[in-house]
Amino acid sequence: MSRPRLDEHDEAIIACLRDDGRMAVRDLAQRVGLNEATVRARIRRLEQSNTMRVVARLDLGAVGFPFTALVGVRLRGRPVEDVCKELLAIPEVISVLSVIGRNDLEIQVIARSMDELNHQLTVVIPAIEGIISLESALAMKIHKYVQPWGRFDEAN
């Protein structure tokens, strides 16, 4: 199915569901100025076309992961896809992006303690064949962490 073009009503529905993914359709319809049947149909169309997905998100700090590191990864001698598969198997690695620039990958690593983060960054991740260096930055304070967009490809 082709992806629909988003109009102002679709954008308003998505914005409301970002704020409260459990909002009743009746309340949603009132907020966006459409009737309930139309809102239901639009939500169904957006979901079926993989344009939108309503999902739950964890608060990492609230579930015991107060430490976050952003890590640049340099590779040599092994395909990026192979290294990515191994990184994706580590539960504490919550994002893996292939990038252009100084590093080959940018990853995000979470941890319950500094000792655990240290173990991930000095033992677990460097042991992956093909990784030649890591450049990490510890997030001291998160001022904004909004993920209003997502990818719905085969990796998810």
Side-chain angles (χ1 to χ4, degrees), residues 67-69 71 92 109-127 134 136 138:
F67 299 96
T68 300
V71 184
E92 295 83 4
V109 182
I110 58 172
R112 295 181 186 279
S113 68
M114 282 301 292
D115 286 341
E116 187 179 296
L117 185 59
N118 181 58
H119 181 72
Q120 289 294 329
L121 297 176
T122 60
V123 176
V124 176
I125 294 169
L134 300 178
S136 59
L138 177 65

Side-chain angles (χ1 to χ4, degrees), residues 59-137:
D59 178 323
L60 293 172
V63 296
F65 290 92
F67 299 96
T68 300
L70 307 170
V71 184
V73 181
R74 290 187 187 166
L75 307 176
R76 184 176 299 139
R78 190 160 181 228
V80 170
E81 295 78 16
D82 293 348
V83 174
C84 287
K85 284 179 189 173
E86 289 192 49
L87 287 167
L88 291 170
I90 301 170
E92 295 83 4
V93 175
I94 62 170
S95 68
V96 178
L97 296 96
S98 294
V99 296
I100 295 173
R102 177 173 160 143
N103 297 307
D104 300 297
L105 299 172
E106 293 288 336
I107 66 174
Q108 186 175 3
V109 182
I110 58 172
R112 295 181 186 279
S113 68
M114 282 301 292
D115 286 341
E116 187 179 296
L117 185 59
N118 181 58
H119 181 72
Q120 289 294 329
L121 297 176
T122 60
V123 176
V124 176
I125 294 169
I128 296 172
E129 182 187 342
I131 292 179
I132 60 168
S133 72
L134 300 178
E135 182 179 319
S136 59

Side-chain angles (χ1 to χ4, degrees), residues 10 13 24-30 32-46:
D10 293 328
I13 289 168
V25 173
R26 175 181 301 151
D27 296 335
L28 186 53
Q30 287 177 337
V32 301
L34 297 171
N35 67 50
E36 288 181 51
T38 302
V39 169
R40 273 188 186 54
R42 283 176 177 259
I43 290 172
R44 187 172 33 255
R45 175 180 52 85
L46 291 167

